[in-house]
């Protein structure tokens, strides 16, 4: 990917009834997410990734999903600041070739 800037957001996926660890009952994430936006590409591009909290098997391409899928799992709206005409398109699809996975 060649762009002047990219936006990366990542974090844990924690459910209401997740496992707890230790006396402080630290939540153990079920998985992790990452979304990446290339806002200055023409057209802008976005990609999401969903990972389970276990040893990874397979290549990065096997974890790639549309950003909409990450939003469903996390309940977050990542690129709401973009015009809907752009947000709706880039969050619904992924262009694997653009990301060179």
């Amino acid at each position: 990917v060649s762009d002047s800037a990219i936006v990366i957001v990542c974090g844990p996926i924690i459910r209401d009834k997740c496992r707890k660890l230790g006396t402080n009952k630290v939540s153990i994430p079920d998985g992790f997410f990452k979304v990446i936006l290339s806002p200055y590409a023409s057209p802008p591009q976005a990609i999401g990734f969903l990972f389970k909290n276990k040893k990874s098997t397979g290549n990065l391409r096997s974890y790639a999903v549309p950003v909409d899928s990450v939003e469903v799992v996390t309940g977050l709206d990542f690129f709401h600041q973009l015009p809907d005409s752009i947000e709706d398109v880039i969050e619904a699809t992924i262009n694997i070739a653009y990301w060179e996975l």
Side-chain angles (χ1 to χ4, degrees):
V1 174
S2 178
D3 202 340
S4 61
I6 59 172
V7 177
I8 302 172
V9 182
C10 54
I13 298 170
I14 299 177
R15 309 224 187 266
D16 290 338
K17 296 182 180 183
C18 65
R19 295 180 305 150
K20 307 287 185 184
L21 179 66
T23 57
N24 291 329
K25 301 199 186 260
V26 175
S27 297
I28 299 173
D30 294 329
F32 301 90
F33 72 86
K34 183 172 286 194
V35 294
I36 304 171
L37 170 66
S38 183
Y40 301 112
S42 183
Q45 299 287 323
I47 191 168
F49 296 93
L50 290 171
F51 305 96
K52 293 187 185 227
N53 191 2
K54 64 179 191 175
K55 182 178 179 181
S56 297
T57 57
N59 62 32
L60 191 56
R61 183 179 291 213
S62 65
Y63 300 98
V65 297
V67 172
D68 280 342
S69 297
V70 179
E71 290 181 336
V72 167
V73 171
T74 63
L76 300 172
D77 184 8
F78 292 104
F79 305 127
H80 59 88
Q81 68 275 29
L82 294 173
D84 286 340
S85 60
I86 295 172
E87 179 189 13
D88 293 345
V89 172
I90 66 170
E91 289 185 352
T93 60
I94 52 176
N95 177 355
I96 294 288
Y98 176 80
W99 298 102
E100 300 177 13
L101 297 178

